[in-house]
């Protein structure tokens, strides 16, 4: 029996593998990656490395075994038909008779276009009959703290979210929840709505940035159309820019407030405060 993690060298997948190494022997972990070089450090620590690509269904043949627990980390190639990509993994897991397939989805309350692929994948997973866990991950702190350069340059937080609030958490928090599911018992066919313990507004985010940098940083609400234009101007493809701006519109409607407490309960600790994520990013 292995614990298998797809996208294992990605932002979230790597956190999951690192935390698994603290709980189970390395030879019980299989990291599925597209580039073996990026996983060389994991291989050096005894993690099994498997090369496979969501776009090449045959690459998943024989990767899973009966009894495996699998974490399907959602793909990031928005233009490649993510539901079909994810179905490749679901079909391979079903054929092998895995014990559990956990999928990193999006909050059930999210109606933005970003959620469409996740809903489609959830439907495929439930239809497969494979024992599943839906890890409906909320927004990540890092979606903001990894893009601080323009904020600090212009002393302005731009968002099309109005006065909406976000229950974000750190990637390491969501990884801890996944690890709890992959190493624990009794999670079959459950859905977890995951988000940070504290919801914050963009005005509060700007105030915290001001406090930590000593600068006067304000929040400038803009329209969804304006934000789409700004993101396109910064080099993002128009469809992706529109999708991200659409998430802001959902935030404005309260769709990224998650108050279940599932994340801290699964992680076994409080979630990382946004202020801590900002401090880490500013040090970097």
């Amino acid at each position: 029996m292995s614990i298998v993690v797809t996208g294992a060298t990605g932002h979230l997948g790597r956190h999951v593998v690192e935390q698994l190494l603290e709980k189970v022997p390395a030879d019980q972990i299989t990291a599925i990656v597209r580039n073996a070089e990026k996983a060389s450090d994991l291989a050096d620590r005894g993690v099994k490395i498997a090369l496979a690509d969501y776009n090449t269904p045959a690459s998943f043949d024989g990767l899973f075994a009966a009894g495996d627990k699998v974490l399907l980390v959602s793909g990031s190639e928005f233009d490649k038909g993510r539901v079909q990509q994810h179905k490749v993994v679901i079909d391979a897991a079903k054929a092998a008779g895995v014990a559990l397939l956990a999928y990193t989805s999006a909050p059930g309350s999210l109606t933005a276009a970003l959620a469409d692929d996740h809903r489609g994948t959830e439907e495929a997973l439930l239809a497969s009959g494979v024992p599943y866990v839906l890890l409906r991950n909320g927004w990540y702190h890092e979606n903001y703290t990894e893009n601080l350069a323009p904020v600090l340059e212009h002393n302005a937080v731009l968002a099309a979210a109005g006065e909406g609030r976000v229950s974000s958490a750190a990637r390491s928090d969501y990884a801890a929840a996944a690890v709890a599911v992959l190493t624990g018992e009794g999670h079959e066919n459950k859905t977890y709505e995951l988000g940070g313990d504290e919801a914050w507004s963009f005005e509060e985010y700007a105030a915290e940035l001001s406090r930590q940098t000593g600068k006067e940083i304000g929040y400038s609400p803009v329209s969804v159309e304006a934000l789409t234009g700004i993101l396109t101007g910064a080099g993002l493809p128009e469809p992706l820019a529109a999708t991200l701006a659409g998430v802001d519109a959902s935030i404005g409607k309260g769709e990224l407030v998650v108050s279940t407490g599932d994340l801290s309960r699964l992680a076994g600790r409080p979630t990382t405060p946004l202020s801590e994520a900002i401090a880490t990013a500013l040090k970097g």
Side-chain angles (χ1 to χ4, degrees):
M1 194 280 286
S2 276
I3 294 175
V4 188
V5 180
T6 74
T9 51
H11 290 308
L12 180 63
R14 185 168 276 281
H15 275 293
V16 172
V17 175
E18 291 287 350
Q19 292 186 36
L20 279 171
L21 283 165
E22 295 169 12
K23 292 205 163 188
V24 297
D27 64 2
Q28 288 180 20
I29 305 167
T30 299
I32 295 181
V33 300
R34 289 192 293 191
N35 181 333
E37 269 179 51
K38 285 188 180 173
S40 60
D41 61 313
L42 298 175
D44 290 345
R45 289 154 75 183
V47 174
K48 293 177 191 163
I49 307 300
L51 285 177
D53 188 321
Y54 295 154
N55 300 305
T56 313
S59 65
F60 279 89
D61 289 351
L63 267 193
F64 305 129
D68 283 353
K69 291 183 174 179
V70 180
L71 177 67
L72 169 53
V73 176
S74 58
S76 57
E77 296 173 315
F78 292 90
D79 57 337
K80 294 271 180 78
R82 290 196 298 169
V83 177
Q84 200 50 48
Q85 287 183 330
H86 298 156
K87 261 184 91 358
V88 166
V89 181
I90 294 167
D91 291 346
K94 179 178 181 174
V98 304
L100 190 72
L101 178 56
Y103 171 63
T104 61
S105 192
S109 52
L110 186 64
T111 63
L114 182 77
D116 293 349
D117 288 346
H118 293 299
R119 296 291 95 84
T121 302
E122 288 185 5
E123 285 171 21
L125 180 50
L126 268 62
S128 74
V130 174
Y132 69 87
V133 178
L134 300 182
L135 296 167
R136 287 180 167 168
N137 289 358
W139 224 217
Y140 300 126
H141 290 334
E142 290 87 350
N143 290 344
Y144 302 103
T145 59
E146 286 181 352
N147 299 296
L148 284 178
V151 174
L152 299 177
E153 184 186 337
H154 299 290
N155 292 333
V157 171
L158 286 181
E163 294 174 12
R165 303 180 79 80
V166 187
S167 303
S168 66
R171 284 197 190 104
S172 58
D173 297 332
Y174 293 106
V179 168
V181 162
L182 294 167
T183 58
E185 297 298 329
H187 297 288
E188 291 84 359
N189 304 332
K190 295 219 170 137
T191 298
Y192 296 110
E193 298 285 349
L194 305 175
D197 295 337
E198 298 287 332
W200 50 269
S201 68
F202 284 90
E203 201 158 307
E204 290 165 349
Y205 173 51
E208 183 60 29
L209 281 169
S210 299
R211 190 182 71 76
Q212 292 200 31
T213 61
K215 295 178 160 195
E216 282 291 321
I217 296 173
Y219 168 41
S220 299
V222 296
S223 69
V224 170
E225 294 72 25
L227 183 60
T228 304
I230 290 163
L231 293 173
T232 308
L236 287 188
E238 203 278 334
L240 180 57
T243 296
L244 293 176
V247 172
D248 270 21
S250 282
I251 290 171
K253 296 178 202 160
E255 293 177 5
L256 275 176
V257 173
V258 179
S259 53
T260 59
D262 284 352
L263 182 52
S264 52
R265 200 159 40 245
L266 281 173
R269 56 170 173 75
T271 59
T272 307
L274 178 64
S275 57
E276 194 177 303
I278 290 171
T280 303
L282 290 173
K283 275 186 209 143

